Amino acid sequence: MPRVINIVKKGLYRDSVYLLHIGEELRKVSGVIDAFIAMGTRLNKDLMLREGFLTSDGEDAGENDLIVALKLGEDADIDNISRLVEELLTQHGARGLEVYEDLDLALNINRDINLALVSIPGRYAREVVMKLLERGVHVHLFSDHVPIEDEVAMKRYAYEKGLLLMGPEAGTSIIGGVAIAFANAVRRGSVGVISASGTGLQEVSVLLHRIGLGVSHGIGVGGRDLSREVGGLMTLFSIDVFENDPGTSIVTIVSKPPSREIQHMIFDYIASRGRKSYVTCLVGGEIEPLDPEASKRIVQTRTLHAAVLEAARITDPSLYSEAQKVLSIDGKTIKAIEDAIAGLREGQRYIRGLFTGGTFAYEAMVVLGRFVGDIWSNSPLRDDLRLRDPWKSYGNTVIDLGGEEFTEGRAHPMIDPSIRLKRIVDEARDPEVAVIMLDFVLGYGAHRDPAGAHVDAIKRAMEIAREDGRRIAFLAHVVGTDQDPQDLASQERILRELGVIILPTNATMALAAAMISLRRSDMDLIDMFSREFLRGF
Amino acid sequence: MGVEKALDLLRGKPRLVSIGLEHFSRELARQGVRVIHVSWRPRERLEKDLEDILSKIM
C-alpha cells in the first residue's frame, strides 16, 4: 500500500501550469509513485479524494493554499522529497524571461509595449485591465469567470479609447503573425478573422492554412461579445479595424449563436458600412434572411469547415474545388469507417465526444443532432439535455472538458489531459459505446505532445473493450499545421498507429461518428451532410 | 471611435507584456517575440479589505 502525504503551503500561490510541471518533476523521483499538486479549490480537493490523494491536512486547506499530495512507496526518503518540494516551489522565477513584480514599474521601464496578455483569475482582472487600457495598451484577456458587468465596463472604456480588448475568455488571437495564448502557426494571408470562440479561430486558421490561404490577423473577442449585455462592441470595432486594414480582403466572423437582436445588428452594420467580403459562421445559429444588397457582401455558413470553403470560393473559384478535396473524407478513411461499423457488436450504439475545445463540442452537437437526435452534455444545445452529473455520460454524450466544472483552479485540458485520459478509460467500460471522438489541439500554448500523452489511455480503453468481445471506434481531428511546434504529421502518425481514424475537420469527425453509430456509409447520408453543413447561404 | 491605434498594433509585430501564466510568456518568447513577464499573485485578503475600507472612508 502506498503511503499518502499532503504538504499544505498556506497562502502560497503558483499558477496551475507551473504546478503541473512540478508534478511531472516529482513523479520522476525515486520513491514517488504519483503526485497531485494544486491549489486547494473544491474541484481539486474532490479530484484528490476520488483518486486517493487527500488526507485530513489537505481537506483543511482553502482555495488560497497550495496542496502537494504524494503517494509514496516503501523506499521513499521523505526528508529528501520535502527538500525537493521546497526547492521546486521557490525556484519559481521564470528563468530566461525578463520578469517584473510590479506592472507599473514594468510599463514605466518598457514604454514600447503595445499589447498585454492577461491570464490571472477572472475576479481580479478588471483592476489590471483598466490600468493597461488607461496607459493605452491593447489587451488580450484570457481569464474566465470575469463578471459580465466588468466585461461591459472594460469594453466600453476600451472602445472610447480606440483600443482592442480581446476577451474575457479569449483563448486565441493571432496578431501580426504572432500566436497569442492558444494559437497555431499559420501562413499570413488576406483573411481576417473575428472570433468569439478560441477553438473556432484555431480551426478556421488551420484549415485556411491547409488549403493554401492565410490569416492577416485573428481577433478573439471573447465568448460573450455577441450577447445582449455586451452588444457586440468588440465585434463591431473589429469590423471597422479590418475595413481599414489594407492586408485584409475577406473577413470571417465566428461565434456560438448570438442573441438574435445582436446578430441582426451585426448584419445591418456590415450591409451599411462594409466594403469587403464577409463569411459568417454562427455555429448553431439561424441563417438570417438578407436583402439582395447585403447578400452580395455576406455569405452565411453553419460550420467552420464551410466558412473556410466559402473564403476559398470568394478568393478564387478554382481554389474552391481544390479546397473541397483537401478537406473531404478520402476513400481510405471511408473504408476505415466501414471496417469500424463491421466490428461493432449488437447493442453498441452510442457516441461519446470528449472535447478540449468548447466550440468543437458545440459544432459536433449541432451536426450530430441532425442525424442521431438528442445529445447530452455539460454544455448542451438545449437546457433539458444537461447531464445531471457531468462526470458520467448518458446515451449520446458530448463533453466540453474546458467547462468550468472541470477547470476551476486547474490548467486547461489542452495543457493538462489527465481528466480526459481517465474519462476515455471510463467510457470504454460502457458496453453500449460504439464510437469515441477526440480533438487534439496543437500550436503554441498547447501540450507539447498531446497525441503521445493519450497513447496509454487509448490502448487501455481498446483492451477493456477487447476483453469484453467488443471493438470501439476512435475518431480524432488534429487541429494543427506543418509549422506548429508539435508537427502535425508526427502527431497524426502516433494516433494512426494505434488504429485511430483521423478526420480532416471537426464537422467531418461528427459526420463519421454519426455514420458509425447509425451503421450507415451510404452516399445519401454524406450528401445530406454536404447540403446542410458544407455550403454557404 | 477611431481605429488608428488598433491599426498601429496590426502594422508590425506586437510588443508584449504577459501577466499571469508564465507558460504563456514562455510560448511567446519561443516565437522570438519581444515579451516581458509580470508575475502575479492574489493580494492578501486583509490587505484588500483594508484598502476597501480606506477607499470608503477617505
Side-chain angles (χ1 to χ4, degrees):
Chain A
M1 267 300 271
R3 217 169 2 148
V4 178
I5 64 162
N6 286 181
I7 304 168
V8 176
K9 297 283 173 191
K10 283 265 171 211
L12 181 70
Y13 174 81
R14 292 289 181 263
D15 74 57
S16 52
V17 184
Y18 190 80
L19 294 178
L20 199 66
H21 291 150
I22 293 186
E24 281 165 13
E25 288 304 313
L26 286 172
R27 266 181 228 112
K28 292 181 200 157
V29 177
S30 139
V32 176
I33 297 167
D34 206 352
F36 192 144
I37 305 138
M39 298 303 291
T41 61
R42 193 65 261 166
L43 170 66
N44 283 329
K45 288 201 286 187
D46 284 350
L47 288 170
M48 283 180 182
L49 183 66
R50 220 180 267 240
E51 292 163 31
F53 273 104
L54 197 65
T55 71
S56 55
D57 292 339
E59 182 48 54
D60 292 340
E63 62 175 24
N64 293 323
D65 306 328
L66 194 154
I67 308 172
V68 179
L70 300 168
K71 289 184 186 171
L72 302 174
E74 300 281 323
D75 57 333
D77 176 348
I78 294 205
D79 288 345
N80 186 38
I81 290 167
S82 309
R83 222 176 4 252
L84 186 64
V85 167
E86 289 298 327
E87 227 169 79
L88 287 167
L89 287 173
T90 47
Q91 245 179 27
H92 185 72
R95 266 166 306 169
L97 284 171
E98 193 179 332
V99 181
Y100 295 84
E101 295 292 326
D102 183 75
L103 177 59
D104 286 308
L105 179 67
L107 294 175
N108 287 340
I109 294 178
N110 302 279
R111 293 190 176 270
D112 61 329
I113 296 297
N114 57 2
L115 176 60
L117 167 54
V118 179
S119 55
I120 64 177
R123 61 180 184 280
Y124 303 100
R126 182 172 178 166
E127 190 184 331
V128 171
V129 170
M130 290 303 265
K131 181 179 282 181
L132 288 158
L133 294 173
E134 267 167 36
R135 300 189 61 138
V137 177
H138 302 277
V139 176
H140 177 113
L141 177 55
F142 177 81
S143 316
D144 50 13
H145 301 119
V146 173
I148 187 120
E149 59 275 17
D150 286 5
E151 176 170 350
V152 172
M154 291 187 290
K155 279 187 169 164
R156 284 198 181 138
Y157 186 61
Y159 187 78
E160 278 167 27
K161 297 205 53 141
L163 294 168
L164 283 164
L165 171 54
M166 299 173 267
E169 292 175 36
T172 307
S173 284
I174 302 171
I175 302 294
V178 175
I180 313 288
F182 291 111
N184 300 83
V186 298
R187 189 181 303 109
R188 294 206 68 183
S190 62
V191 183
V193 188
I194 303 170
S195 184
S197 142
T199 42
L201 175 46
Q202 288 196 268
E203 175 88 330
V204 166
S205 61
V206 160
L207 300 183
L208 285 168
H209 178 93
R210 287 196 197 166
I211 65 166
L213 289 177
V215 173
S216 57
H217 307 280
I219 301 178
V221 292
R224 297 184 301 211
D225 196 65
L226 297 179
S227 66
R228 270 185 65 186
E229 292 89 334
V230 184
L233 207 51
M234 276 300 135
T235 301
L236 297 176
F237 185 56
S238 303
I239 289 172
D240 288 343
V241 171
F242 278 134
E243 282 289 335
N244 288 283
D245 173 34
T248 301
S249 56
I250 300 171
V251 183
T252 303
I253 300 178
V254 177
S255 177
K256 284 189 193 173
S259 115
R260 272 322 283 276
E261 189 186 328
I262 301 300
Q263 177 173 333
H264 200 68
M265 184 188 76
I266 300 279
F267 281 98
D268 276 355
Y269 195 80
I270 296 169
S272 64
R273 309 191 39 166
R275 297 181 315 277
K276 299 190 174 176
S277 299
Y278 285 76
V279 179
T280 64
C281 176
L282 308 175
V283 182
E286 303 284 333
I287 298 296
E288 177 105 2
L290 295 176
D291 63 51
E293 204 42 47
S295 62
K296 271 190 226 155
R297 180 142 299 141
I298 305 170
V299 181
Q300 304 176 71
T301 62
R302 290 202 170 107
T303 59
L304 303 161
H305 181 150
V308 170
L309 289 180
E310 291 305 321
R313 195 205 296 271
I314 294 166
T315 307
D316 174 359
S318 69
L319 181 64
Y320 176 74
S321 49
E322 185 54 32
Q324 266 185 318
K325 251 182 261 160
V326 173
L327 301 183
S328 71
I329 305 183
D330 61 16
K332 232 162 116 187
T333 308
I334 294 279
K335 174 78 175 57
I337 291 169
E338 284 169 347
D339 287 349
I341 293 170
L344 292 177
R345 202 175 66 179
E346 204 180 322
Q348 278 187 277
R349 54 197 169 129
Y350 290 135
I351 300 164
R352 300 286 154 85
L354 306 176
F355 288 90
T356 62
T359 297
F360 290 137
Y362 205 82
E363 185 183 57
M365 287 191 283
V366 169
V367 174
L368 288 173
R370 184 69 188 81
F371 300 107
V372 303
D374 290 348
I375 313 291
W376 296 81
S377 176
N378 61 324
S379 176
L381 295 183
R382 287 199 328 260
D383 217 41
D384 59 316
L385 294 172
R386 189 174 301 279
L387 286 170
R388 250 189 237 158
D389 177 358
W391 299 86
K392 266 201 204 104
S393 300
Y394 175 80
N396 290 313
T397 288
V398 165
I399 297 288
D400 170 13
L401 290 159
E404 59 185 41
E405 56 275 68
F406 300 112
T407 54
E408 193 206 351
R410 297 181 58 81
H412 193 277
M414 284 178 204
I415 307 177
D416 178 2
S418 53
I419 290 181
R420 182 157 83 167
L421 300 179
K422 291 194 177 69
R423 185 70 174 247
I424 289 170
V425 175
D426 287 348
E427 300 295 354
R429 295 185 209 282
D430 182 342
E432 291 186 306
V433 170
V435 49
I436 294 177
M437 292 187 286
L438 303 169
D439 60 341
F440 289 86
V441 179
L442 312 186
Y444 290 101
H447 193 284
R448 295 276 169 115
D449 176 18
H454 283 72
V455 169
D456 289 347
I458 293 173
K459 274 189 181 161
R460 178 77 192 111
M462 287 175 164
E463 196 179 285
I464 288 169
R466 197 165 42 240
E467 282 165 3
D468 191 35
R470 293 178 279 129
R471 243 171 71 187
I472 294 174
F474 276 86
L475 308 181
H477 168 48
V478 185
V479 188
T481 72
D482 50 350
Q483 294 174 8
D484 276 329
Q486 297 91 343
D487 185 46
L488 174 65
S490 62
Q491 289 289 302
E492 288 191 337
R493 191 166 53 242
I494 290 170
L495 295 169
R496 244 186 226 115
E497 280 170 3
L498 289 172
V500 175
I501 303 171
I502 310 278
L503 281 306
T505 68
N506 186 61
T508 51
M509 175 161 71
L511 168 67
M515 290 165 74
I516 293 169
S517 101
L518 298 170
R519 302 173 194 232
R520 280 179 63 179
S521 60
D522 53 282
M523 278 317 286
D524 285 355
L525 195 73
I526 297 171
D527 284 346
M528 190 163 107
F529 168 78
S530 304
R531 274 197 310 276
E532 290 195 30
F533 295 111
L534 296 190
R535 73 177 182 101
F537 298 87
Chain B
M1 188 56 227
V3 293
E4 294 74 20
K5 286 181 198 161
L7 291 173
D8 272 349
L9 173 71
L10 302 188
R11 261 191 277 274
K13 288 239 181 264
R15 299 174 298 276
L16 281 121
V17 57
S18 166
I19 305 150
L21 293 178
E22 199 182 295
H23 170 69
F24 283 149
S25 306
R26 292 196 180 284
E27 292 291 273
L28 288 164
R30 241 177 132 188
Q31 297 176 65
V33 180
R34 164 142 164 70
V35 57
I36 57 172
H37 177 78
V38 174
S39 47
W40 182 92
R41 60 182 182 81
R43 273 193 290 165
E44 296 298 325
R45 197 167 291 280
L46 185 63
E47 189 188 328
K48 177 86 176 81
D49 288 349
L50 274 176
E51 204 169 281
D52 288 348
I53 293 165
L54 283 174
S55 72
K56 275 186 194 129
I57 58 176
M58 283 174 75

